[in-house]
Amino acid sequence: MGKPTESRFGHERDIYFMSCALQQAKKALTKDEVPVGAVVVSPEGKIIARGMNLVEDKHTQHAHAESLAIAKAGKKLQDWRLEGCWVYVTLEPCAMCMQLILLSRMQGVVFGATSPLFGFHLDNALMLGLYKKCTLALIQGVGKEQAELLLKQFFKAKRLKKNKKIRNG
């Protein structure tokens, strides 16, 4: 049996939920944050929380899009256990966020772009093996092109700004 290619909600809904996460990423971009967005979807298939990267604004490492969305979902449900919920995030979660997802007992993660520098895949053998009852579904590549484009735009603008600063001394 291969890796799942869609969530329990189906491919069409996966695309829709990822488009909502991409809207959050676009909002983060307007705030000069790394453009990452996330939404948490209930077992019934309704968006219950949204989050965007606010690391710079909040001056803390834990203000990642998925972390903020998960906190909002817990508050909305009045429970830290998000059993049956899915998180849709535009960029592969880092190790910190993946641990949060696991500890929140979520059912699955759908992400767009991979993160070659900070993605959980760098040490997922260690991470996913920590819990005896890990049944987390992982689906990648939904909205990948749009997510990558936002990230490339952001980092290109940052490099141009940095180079301009260096030239102007």
Side-chain angles (χ1 to χ4, degrees), residues 19 24 41 45 55 62 71 76 103 117 137-138 154:
S19 73
Q24 293 298 304
V41 177
V55 171
H62 75 80
K76 181 169 182 130
L103 289 169
L117 294 176
L138 297 169
F154 175 79

Side-chain angles (χ1 to χ4, degrees), residues 14-22 88-90 110-112 142-143:
D14 287 347
I15 291 170
Y16 169 73
F17 294 137
M18 187 58 73
S19 73
C20 294
L22 284 161
Y88 289 76
V89 61
T90 58
V110 178
F111 66 89
V142 177

Side-chain angles (χ1 to χ4, degrees), residues 9-106:
F9 307 112
H11 186 67
E12 301 269 327
R13 296 294 285 163
D14 287 347
I15 291 170
Y16 169 73
F17 294 137
M18 187 58 73
S19 73
C20 294
L22 284 161
Q23 287 302 316
Q24 293 298 304
K26 289 174 185 172
K27 287 182 183 179
L29 183 63
T30 67
K31 295 176 177 284
D32 203 28
E33 295 275 0
V34 176
V36 180
V39 296
V40 175
V41 177
S42 73
E44 297 77 33
K46 302 224 185 293
I47 294 175
I48 57 172
R50 300 169 194 269
M52 71 182 91
N53 191 37
L54 291 174
V55 171
E56 300 299 331
D57 182 65
K58 302 284 185 191
H59 309 291
T60 180
Q61 302 86 333
H62 75 80
H64 287 188
E66 52 272 62
S67 178
L68 296 173
I70 288 168
K72 289 176 185 175
K75 189 171 184 173
K76 181 169 182 130
L77 296 178
Q78 294 293 289
D79 195 347
W80 62 268
R81 295 171 200 86
L82 300 177
E83 293 172 325
C85 291
W86 285 70
V87 63
Y88 289 76
V89 61
T90 58
L91 182 65
E92 177 184 5
C94 68
M96 173 186 73
C97 290
M98 194 55 124
Q99 287 296 331
L100 178 61
I101 290 164
L102 288 167
L103 289 169
S104 300
R105 302 180 183 170
M106 299 184 88

Side-chain angles (χ1 to χ4, degrees), residues 106-167:
M106 299 184 88
Q107 186 174 355
V109 178
V110 178
F111 66 89
T114 56
S115 179
L117 294 176
F118 301 108
F120 80 92
H121 76 277
L122 298 170
D123 49 14
N124 68 357
L126 169 68
M127 288 181 44
L128 298 178
L130 288 176
Y131 302 99
K132 291 181 180 174
K133 212 175 127 181
C134 179
T135 58
L136 186 70
L138 297 169
I139 298 160
Q140 68 182 55
V142 177
K144 177 183 177 183
E145 294 79 17
Q146 301 96 314
E148 286 177 346
L149 182 62
L150 284 173
L151 290 161
K152 285 176 184 175
Q153 287 173 340
F154 175 79
F155 287 110
K156 183 178 181 181
K158 284 288 182 194
R159 283 190 302 275
L160 288 172
K161 192 175 181 181
K162 181 180 177 183
N163 290 340
K164 189 175 182 180
K165 204 178 211 180
I166 289 170
R167 280 193 305 266

